[in-house]
């Protein structure tokens, strides 16, 4: 296969675009596409202060690399979840993020959950019995809360994450087969800030397939953590990703089309009536002041309060 731009040997074939490119032209294409989507979806401007959530994985480190090269100002936020029991997963991913920030001379904020709340994510999940044997729901609640809190405290204009198209399509697939209207309404690559205190959120990589972000990270020589979180084994989204990739291999472009058709349906107003039916009213948490759909205390404060009580009882 030859590069469509220069005729030399292609390193990647993107069948959904009928496009094969050599290393240099792929890196150029990837960077230009990122810029194009940031503009097209009005994600942020050059003067905006961006907080980028970096996990140490390929997507968020590649995103930091690209937006830095494009000239945007983005500080990194790494949340140390304390998932270390057998694979030192958090420890190793934090090292990758620290090294990247150091080498590129970028500002990195580290939020250490154990220091902040007195326990790690797996401990909190055990104490509160949330999610039975898996800490993923405690982890999700915590990450969302901490990202919003730090972005607001630091007066950032926008919070960016490294979600790619495969992530988004797997979530869309799950939301669709379960007809979760509330989630479908909220799923979008750009979520505006809310007057009650949700920061604006964007996903600049939502148009790239996972193999493209992986190729970018690899070709740029970015050192990232290759493992998934040890608790992700058997997760539904991983199963959906496998199914969707099987379909994609027979019908190139299926994943992209599924997601873009969903966005088009939203733009054309097909979800408008639903929006009125599912209008959410947010309150402010009495403990931390962040917005919540709960009447008094947000899920984050409830989780960590229960964890502290349970932990002190066994001491
Ligand atoms: P995941 O939910 O692991 O697929 O990650 C999706 C996105 O969330 C990543 O691309 C990051 O932007 C962000 N993220 C995940 N884990 C962390 C973390 N520990 N610290 C900061 N950001 C994270
Ligand atoms: Fe949160 Fe795995 S449980 S990253
Ligand atoms: Zn070329
Ligand atoms: Zn709270």
């Amino acid at each position: 296969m030859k590069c469509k731009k220069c005729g030399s040997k292609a390193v990647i074939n993107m069948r959904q675009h009928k496009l094969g490119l050599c290393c240099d032209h792929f890196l150029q294409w990837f960077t230009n596409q990122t810029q194009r989507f940031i503009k097209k979806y009005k994600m942020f401007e050059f003067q905006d202060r961006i907080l980028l959530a970096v996990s140490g994985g390929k997507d968020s480190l590649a995103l930091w690399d690209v937006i830095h090269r494009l000239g945007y100002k983005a500080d990194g936020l790494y949340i140390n979840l304390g998932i270390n029991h057998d694979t030192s997963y958090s420890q190793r991913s934090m090292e990758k993020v620290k090294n990247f920030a150091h080498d590129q001379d970028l500002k990195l904020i580290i939020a250490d959950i154990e220091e902040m709340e007195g326990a790690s994510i797996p401990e909190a999940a055990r104490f509160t019995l949330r999610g039975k044997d898996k800490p993923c729901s405690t982890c999700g609640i915590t990450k969302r809360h901490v990202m919003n809190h730090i972005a607001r405290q630091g007066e950032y204009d926008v919070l960016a994450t490294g979600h790619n198209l495969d992530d988004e399509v797997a979530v869309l697939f799950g939301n669709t087969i379960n007809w979760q209207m509330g989630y479908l309404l909220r799923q979008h690559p750009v979520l505006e800030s809310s007057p009650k205190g949700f920061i604006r959120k964007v996903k600049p990589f939502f148009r790239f397939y996972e193999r493209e972000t992986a190729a970018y990270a690899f070709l740029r020589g970015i050192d990232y953590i290759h493992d998934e979180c040890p608790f992700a084994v058997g997760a539904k989204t991983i199963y959906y990703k496998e199914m969707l990739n099987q379909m994609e291999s027979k019908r190139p472009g299926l994943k992209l089309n599924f997601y873009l058709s969903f966005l088009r349906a939203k733009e054309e107003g097909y979800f408008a009536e639903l929006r009125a039916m599912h209008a959410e009213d947010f309150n402010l948490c009495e403990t931390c002041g962040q917005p919540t759909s709960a009447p008094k205390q947000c899920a984050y404060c409830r989780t960590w309060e229960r964890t502290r009580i349970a932990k002190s009882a066994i001491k």
Side-chain angles (χ1 to χ4, degrees):
M1 169 118 212
K2 289 199 168 147
C3 171
K4 197 166 181 171
K5 295 261 164 79
C6 68
S8 62
K9 195 171 180 302
V11 293
I12 187 163
N13 178 18
M14 295 169 284
R15 287 172 69 202
Q16 78 279 22
H17 301 308
K18 297 192 177 62
L19 181 63
L21 292 172
C22 69
C23 175
D24 286 353
H25 282 121
F26 172 72
L27 293 174
Q28 202 179 76
W29 174 86
F30 190 92
T31 311
N32 292 343
Q33 287 290 92
T34 308
Q35 175 61 81
R36 203 179 126 220
F37 297 130
I38 290 171
K39 267 206 144 153
K40 177 168 179 184
Y41 294 89
K42 299 188 176 65
M43 293 190 176
F44 40 73
E45 306 278 342
F46 286 102
Q47 68 274 16
D48 284 337
R49 291 186 66 233
I50 306 158
L51 182 67
L52 171 60
V54 268
S55 63
K58 62 185 183 318
D59 302 295
S60 45
L61 283 178
L63 179 57
W64 211 2
D65 184 274
V66 180
I67 60 176
H68 175 53
R69 278 171 196 273
L70 286 169
Y72 292 101
K73 292 188 285 286
D75 295 342
L77 165 66
Y78 175 78
I79 304 170
N80 184 2
L81 305 159
I83 301 175
N84 286 317
H85 55 295
D86 49 3
T87 57
S88 310
Y89 172 74
S90 291
Q91 196 55 41
R92 287 187 298 128
S93 33
M94 184 162 64
E95 289 308 316
K96 304 284 182 197
V97 178
K98 275 187 179 170
N99 291 343
F100 184 87
H102 178 264
D103 294 348
Q104 307 279 334
D105 202 15
L106 292 163
K107 181 177 170 188
L108 173 66
I109 301 168
I110 294 184
D112 190 303
I113 298 301
E114 211 160 344
E115 272 174 23
M116 288 160 65
E117 303 295 348
S120 67
I121 291 285
E123 264 186 303
R126 256 197 328 275
F127 285 133
T128 55
L129 301 177
R130 194 184 266 282
K132 302 194 178 67
D133 55 339
K134 287 224 178 199
C136 303
S137 90
T138 303
C139 177
I141 289 168
T142 303
K143 282 195 284 200
R144 273 193 299 278
H145 178 100
V146 171
M147 285 178 196
N148 202 62
H149 173 68
I150 293 190
R152 284 180 59 198
Q153 193 185 41
E155 297 183 356
Y156 287 92
D157 296 299
V158 62
L159 172 77
T161 54
H163 293 93
N164 58 44
L165 189 116
D166 291 58
D167 298 325
E168 291 304 292
V169 169
V171 171
L172 176 61
F173 190 69
N175 288 343
T176 307
I177 57 173
N178 295 305
W179 289 117
Q180 283 175 306
M181 294 305 182
Y183 290 153
L184 284 168
L185 273 174
R186 258 176 283 141
Q187 192 176 356
H188 202 272
V190 179
L191 292 176
E192 293 304 332
S193 61
S194 77
K196 283 264 170 74
F198 283 117
I199 184 93
R200 194 158 189 276
K201 296 191 190 86
V202 297
K203 300 172 182 173
F205 275 180
F206 83 98
R207 294 274 302 249
F208 290 122
Y209 282 11
E210 192 163 322
R211 63 190 285 271
E212 292 152 20
T213 60
Y216 181 87
F218 173 75
L219 294 172
R220 279 266 183 247
I222 296 171
D223 184 20
Y224 63 88
I225 182 144
H226 290 251
D227 328 6
E228 293 271 2
C229 162
F231 296 110
V233 179
K236 257 188 273 168
T237 45
I238 294 187
Y239 171 66
Y240 294 154
K241 280 184 181 177
E242 285 165 7
M243 298 291 294
L244 286 154
N245 280 337
Q246 276 181 31
M247 290 194 264
E248 175 82 21
S249 69
K250 299 244 160 44
R251 305 277 298 268
L254 179 139
K255 291 187 291 191
L256 184 61
N257 187 44
F258 181 38
Y259 194 69
L260 292 185
S261 307
F262 164 68
L263 291 188
R264 213 172 303 123
K266 280 194 143 176
E267 275 159 28
E268 288 171 1
Y270 287 100
F271 286 76
E273 258 179 54
L274 275 171
R275 182 157 293 119
M277 280 161 58
H278 286 260
E280 271 187 304
D281 195 16
F282 287 103
N283 305 305
L284 295 182
C285 170
E286 289 177 357
T287 311
C288 71
Q290 288 224 62
T292 173
S293 51
K296 287 180 187 305
Q297 202 180 30
C298 74
Y300 176 90
C301 290
R302 267 182 286 144
T303 301
W304 289 100
E305 206 169 278
R306 264 192 277 157
T307 303
R308 274 188 291 276
I309 293 168
K311 204 171 171 179
S312 64
I314 59 160
K315 265 188 185 156

